[in-house]
């Protein structure tokens, strides 16, 4: 029950509102069905004793109203009437079921889409401590499981519950003693059964999530590192890990199926025993078969309807129990993570909507620590980047260069000190980020064309081919694309750009960063995979941008930053020296040592 409330609380107000007419339709549907069953009683009574037509007030007024003269004709008319009524109520039922399944289907879509958006709009730091295969798994399988195995059965069970209660109400009205005895027998039996399977379902439900995680992780990691897997010959290890996860997942589902259907199946022998007992009981109280017939007919029909309903209600209750853990996780991911700052519309954030940047970016005593790191990764960083200058960030591996630009781009929030743009604190993070073109250390290409990768995330109809070409020219990629690729800019690069060389991928990354004509270009080891001739060509192009753009270059190779207006030399998260290349080589022995290695 708690899980259902949680699940429904994830719906939007509109979605909740639409539940109301649906619920009403379900109630009407159940009453129509019970009315159909109820009409069989009088029909059987008339069959048993036609005189009832004259003694029973409703029947006799109907008889007179339609002007019948013959009992037989009345009986036939009654039968046809009941039949038509049942046909109509079945048609109505089909419509209600259709509306219900559509509703459920739409929730499958809206819930998973909302969860996707929820994840996507989390701050960058969220992704530093969440496994992305886990997020994909939640989106792709767990929402589906919850919708198809919890939401749909619950709505079904609700419809069936209303129907079962209506049938029960009708049975109580027609013969309280028999009905209550029936209710008590079935009730006690089911509560006992549920008590038995409940803990087992909860246990298997927990296993399900873990098993699903294992199999998703194994698949994601094996394919993600396929080269290492091949070279190290680790196919068996990954195959075994996957098998273990997949096997537990399947077995856990099998346990759910058996534990949730078993009690329903035991219903048939129970009902058969009950029917025998009922006949014996009625023989005692009613005496003749004629008197028993109407009641028996109604019971036979009602029980035959009631049993599948109860079975399904039971199954739904069991599944809710089984998936409780999964619902809990979805619920907390959708409500307890950072509330995402969603844009008003789904349209692209226009790249032109930028925070004005006219003079300089200043960092004052800026500090940063990762939530998991012991010591601060950046400390007491004081620096000023003037607009349209080029700065270099150098230092040994792990000294905090990438972290520093992540903080400047506000992918990570500083944990101390401040950052000012033209003397003002940054009020709109998203608009600030629009100023940047970023070439990350690890470039991720999507399995799409070269053009789509350069104009990354821009729908094809909005893509500007001239801008793609211009960006590719600056990145020294244009000649390669036009002369060596079969379909030019429309060539597919393969998953993660697997059909391109490391250097080609890097240049696609540079072109991507330039596509929106950013004010600030950040290059994190952007030329490290290029041979020195190509690197020189790319750097020449970048130098052409100097003094028209603000550029931040991170490099291991000190020669790459030789032309910078100012170079910052980092060590363990602090700036230990700054200045122009020549001055640093002259004055700083450590810098000189690094530069020397490069030159040789
Ligand atoms: N998500 C993270 N959580 C905790 N610590 C991190 C995280 N990312 C990086 N670090 C640590 O922060 C320090 C700085 O990392 P950073 O990536 O900024 O170095 P870098 O100067 O860019 O190195 P490289 O030249 O190798 O790219 C490293 O010691 C690293 O271990
Ligand atoms: Mg780095």
């Amino acid at each position: 029950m708690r899980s259902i409330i949680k699940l429904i609380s994830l719906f939007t107000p509109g979605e909740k509102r639409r539940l109301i007419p649906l619920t009403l339709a379900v109630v009407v549907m159940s009453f129509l069905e019970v009315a159909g069953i109820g009409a069989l009683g009088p029909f059987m009574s008339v069959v048993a004793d036609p005189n009832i037509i004259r003694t029973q007030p409703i029947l006799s007024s109907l008889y007179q109203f339609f002007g019948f003269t013959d009992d037989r004709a009345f009986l036939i008319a009654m039968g046809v009437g009941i039949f038509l009524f049942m046909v109509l109520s079945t048609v109505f039922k089909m419509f209600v079921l259709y509306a219900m399944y559509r509703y459920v289907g739409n929730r499958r879509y809206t819930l998973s889409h909302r969860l996707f958006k929820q994840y996507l709009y989390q701050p960058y730091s969220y992704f530093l401590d969440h496994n992305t295969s886990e997020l994909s798994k939640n989106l792709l399988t767990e929402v589906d499981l919850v919708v198809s195995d919890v939401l749909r059965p619950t709505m079904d069970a609700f419809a069936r519950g209303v129907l079962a209660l209506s049938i029960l109400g009708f049975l109580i009205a027609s013969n309280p003693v028999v009905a209550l005895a029936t209710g008590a027998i079935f009730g006690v039996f089911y509560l006992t059964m549920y008590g038995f399977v409940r803990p087992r379902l909860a246990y298997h439900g927990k296993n399900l999530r873990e098993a699903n995680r294992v199999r998703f992780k194994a698949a994601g990691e094996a394919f993600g590192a396929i080269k290492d897997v091949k070279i190290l010959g680790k196919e068996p290890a990954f195959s075994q890990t996957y098998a273990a996860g997949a096997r537990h997942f399947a077995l856990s589902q099998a346990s759910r199926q058996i534990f949730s259907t078993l009690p329903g199946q035991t219903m048939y022998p129970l009902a058969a025993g009950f029917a025998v007992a009922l006949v014996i009981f009625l023989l005692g109280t009613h005496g003749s078969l004629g008197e028993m017939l109407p009641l028996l007919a109604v019971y036979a029909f009602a029980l035959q309807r009631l049993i599948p309903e109860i079975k399904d209600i039971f199954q739904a209750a069991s599944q809710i129990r089984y998936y409780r853990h999964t619902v809990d996780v979805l619920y907390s991911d959708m409500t307890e993570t950072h509330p995402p700052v969603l844009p008003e519309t789904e349209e692209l954030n226009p790249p032109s909507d930028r925070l004005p940047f006219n003079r300089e970016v200043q960092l004052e005593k800026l500090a940063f620590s990762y939530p998991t790191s012991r010591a601060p990764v950046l400390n007491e960083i004081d620096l000023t980047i003037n607009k349209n200058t080029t700065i270099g960030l150098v230092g040994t591996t792990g000294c905090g260069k990438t972290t520093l630009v992540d903080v400047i781009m506000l992918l990570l929030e500083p944990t101390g000190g401040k950052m000012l743009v033209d003397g003002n604190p940054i009020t709109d993070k998203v608009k600030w980020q629009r100023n940047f073109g970023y070439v990350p250390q690890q470039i991720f290409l999507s399995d799409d064309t070269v053009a789509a990768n350069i104009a990354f995330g821009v729908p094809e109809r909005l893509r500007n081919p001239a801008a793609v070409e211009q960006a590719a020219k600056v990145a020294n990629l244009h000649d390669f694309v036009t002369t060596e690729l079969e379909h030019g800019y429309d060539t597919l690069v393969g998953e993660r750009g697997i059909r391109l060389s490391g250097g080609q991928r890097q240049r696609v990354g540079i072109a991507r960063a330039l596509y929106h004509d950013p004010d600030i270009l950040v290059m994190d080891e952007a030329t490290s995979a290029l041979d020195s001739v190509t690197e020189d060509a790319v750097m020449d192009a970048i130098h052409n941008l100097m003094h028209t753009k603000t550029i931040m270059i991170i490099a291991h190779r000190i020669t790459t930053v030789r032309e910078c207006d100012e170079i910052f030399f980092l060590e363990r998260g602090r700036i230990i020296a700054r200045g122009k290349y020549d001055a640093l080589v002259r004055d700083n022995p450590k810098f000189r040592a690094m530069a020397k290695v490069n030159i040789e």
Side-chain angles (χ1 to χ4, degrees):
M1 213 41 216
R2 208 172 47 89
S3 302
I4 294 304
I5 294 171
K6 272 190 169 175
L7 195 58
I8 291 179
S9 75
L10 295 178
F11 295 176
T12 62
E15 290 167 0
K16 284 182 203 159
R17 259 200 309 280
R18 251 168 287 147
L19 268 177
I20 299 170
L22 206 55
T23 314
L24 288 179
V26 166
V27 173
V28 172
M29 174 179 97
S30 308
F31 282 124
L32 288 180
E33 206 146 341
V34 174
I37 298 168
L40 275 182
F43 179 77
M44 295 310 275
S45 307
V46 175
V47 173
D49 176 13
N51 277 328
I52 291 179
I53 300 174
R54 276 160 291 278
T55 53
Q56 214 279 337
I58 300 178
L59 288 181
S60 68
S61 46
L62 278 175
Y63 191 87
Q64 273 157 24
F65 182 80
F66 289 106
F68 281 102
T69 49
D70 174 5
D71 287 356
R72 209 179 142 73
F74 183 73
L75 194 65
I76 292 170
M78 229 177 131
V80 171
I82 292 171
F83 172 71
L84 284 181
F85 180 80
M86 282 188 162
V87 168
L88 282 181
S89 85
T90 307
V91 170
F92 180 73
K93 182 175 172 170
M94 286 296 129
F95 277 107
V96 175
L97 287 182
Y98 172 72
M100 198 162 97
Y101 289 142
R102 241 189 100 82
Y103 182 84
V104 169
N106 269 319
R107 294 302 70 73
R108 187 193 296 267
Y109 141 66
T110 54
L111 278 182
S112 83
H113 179 220
R114 271 215 297 285
L115 185 63
F116 180 61
K117 246 168 54 173
Q118 176 83 16
Y119 286 149
L120 201 58
Y121 280 95
Q122 291 302 311
Y124 174 66
S125 52
Y126 181 83
F127 296 92
L128 296 178
D129 49 30
H130 283 80
N131 186 310
T132 51
S133 71
E134 173 109 18
L135 302 184
S136 306
K137 168 193 68 111
N138 288 349
L139 278 176
L140 299 176
T141 65
E142 307 217 334
V143 170
D144 271 359
L145 287 177
V146 163
V147 169
S148 62
D149 289 1
V150 177
L151 184 61
R152 195 186 55 73
T154 303
M155 296 195 62
D156 255 350
F158 175 75
R160 292 167 190 284
V162 174
L163 183 63
L165 282 181
S166 322
I167 295 178
L168 212 62
F170 167 76
L171 291 182
I172 291 175
S174 56
N175 189 330
V177 180
V178 175
L180 289 177
T182 317
I185 293 171
F186 281 90
V188 168
F189 178 73
Y190 272 89
L191 284 180
T192 317
M193 273 290 191
Y194 189 59
F196 169 74
V197 298
R198 202 179 120 107
R200 286 162 181 81
L201 286 165
Y203 168 76
H204 289 294
K206 224 175 184 140
N207 281 353
L208 174 88
R209 268 189 58 76
E210 176 57 19
N212 203 15
R213 193 186 65 76
V214 170
R215 81 191 174 127
F216 257 77
K217 191 158 169 283
E221 289 177 353
F223 296 140
I226 189 69
K227 224 175 195 175
D228 306 58
V229 171
K230 293 273 159 214
I231 296 299
L232 299 171
K234 289 296 175 204
E235 291 96 337
F238 279 97
S239 149
Q240 276 160 21
T241 315
Y242 182 86
R247 186 163 162 272
H248 280 124
F249 184 78
L251 290 183
S252 160
Q253 288 279 17
S255 309
R256 166 184 68 81
Q257 278 161 349
I258 189 67
F259 282 121
S260 60
T261 54
L262 190 85
Q265 297 304 334
T266 57
M267 190 105 193
Y268 291 107
L270 186 71
F274 172 79
V276 172
L278 183 67
V279 171
I280 294 169
F281 170 78
L282 289 180
L283 269 181
T285 57
H286 285 61
S288 87
L289 190 65
E291 282 173 54
M292 263 166 61
L293 191 63
L295 193 63
L296 268 186
V298 168
Y299 258 85
F301 200 68
L303 274 188
Q304 189 239 330
R305 295 307 313 267
L306 204 54
I307 291 174
E309 311 301 338
I310 294 181
K311 216 175 78 187
D312 285 3
I313 293 170
F314 190 86
Q315 188 159 352
S318 313
Q319 320 238 84
I320 292 166
R321 185 76 206 168
Y322 177 73
Y323 286 108
R324 194 169 102 177
H325 203 63
T326 308
V327 172
D328 282 351
V329 171
L330 291 187
Y331 181 81
S332 65
D333 275 6
M334 284 183 81
T335 54
E336 286 160 24
T337 46
H338 286 266
V341 193
L342 300 177
E344 297 281 304
T345 61
E346 283 286 302
E347 262 313 311
L348 300 167
N349 303 312
S352 53
D353 192 10
R354 296 174 180 173
L355 190 90
F357 165 50
N358 297 315
R359 296 196 312 272
E360 82 280 302
V361 187
Q362 274 169 290
L363 309 187
E364 288 178 11
K365 300 228 175 309
L366 189 113
F368 178 80
S369 342
Y370 286 102
T372 49
S373 60
R374 250 182 289 145
V377 173
L378 297 175
N379 226 334
E380 307 252 325
I381 301 279
D382 279 307
L383 65 83
T384 301
I385 305 166
N386 289 311
K387 190 179 165 85
N388 295 343
T389 60
T390 300
I391 65 149
L393 290 173
V394 296
T396 48
T397 176
C399 69
K401 303 179 295 291
T402 301
T403 309
L404 178 58
V405 295
D406 284 351
V407 172
I408 293 176
M409 294 188 292
L410 286 184
L411 283 175
L412 301 171
E413 302 269 351
T415 46
K418 53 184 170 183
M419 178 159 93
L420 304 171
V421 174
D422 295 346
N424 306 312
I426 293 167
T427 46
D428 190 330
K429 187 166 97 174
V430 174
K431 284 188 181 173
W432 171 239
Q433 286 165 347
R434 289 292 92 75
N435 286 299
F436 288 90
Y438 176 50
V439 190
Q441 209 164 356
Q442 311 273 351
I443 290 157
F444 182 92
L445 297 192
S446 52
D447 191 358
D448 208 330
T449 62
V450 174
N453 268 293
I454 293 176
F456 183 65
V458 179
E460 198 168 354
R461 67 196 154 85
L462 298 177
R463 199 181 295 155
N464 176 354
V468 168
E469 215 177 290
Q470 176 55 30
K473 278 181 181 153
V474 176
N476 199 19
L477 185 70
H478 181 69
D479 286 345
F480 162 75
V481 172
T482 47
T483 58
E484 293 189 34
L485 293 182
E486 197 184 345
H487 303 291
Y489 283 100
D490 293 326
T491 310
L492 291 167
V493 301
E495 192 183 354
R496 276 173 283 131
I498 201 159
R499 279 178 227 138
L500 298 180
S501 78
Q504 289 156 356
R505 250 175 269 168
Q506 234 175 18
R507 284 180 286 162
V508 174
I510 296 173
R512 176 189 290 178
L514 290 167
Y515 174 76
H516 287 297
D517 192 24
D519 293 329
I520 310 172
L521 178 66
V522 177
M523 310 221 306
D524 192 348
E525 298 290 350
T527 54
S528 62
L530 306 182
D531 61 86
S532 53
V533 176
T534 314
E535 178 178 26
D536 283 349
V538 173
M539 285 315 291
D540 278 348
I542 301 294
H543 294 149
N544 287 336
L545 301 174
M546 271 172 88
H547 306 296
T548 60
K549 285 191 189 311
T550 312
I551 304 173
M552 299 161 74
I553 302 172
I554 296 177
H556 276 132
R557 267 186 245 165
I558 301 252
T559 43
T560 314
V561 294
R562 209 174 171 143
E563 310 285 327
C564 289
D565 298 311
E566 192 169 18
I567 297 169
F568 298 93
F569 189 28
L570 270 82
E571 193 178 82
R572 287 205 212 122
R574 289 171 191 272
I575 297 178
I576 55 162
R578 63 183 76 200
K580 282 205 173 274
Y581 179 83
D582 293 335
L584 279 172
V585 169
R586 191 181 60 230
D587 302 334
N588 191 302
K590 278 187 188 163
F591 188 85
R592 185 161 56 237
M594 272 180 91
K596 206 165 162 192
V597 175
N598 278 199
I599 288 163
E600 276 163 4

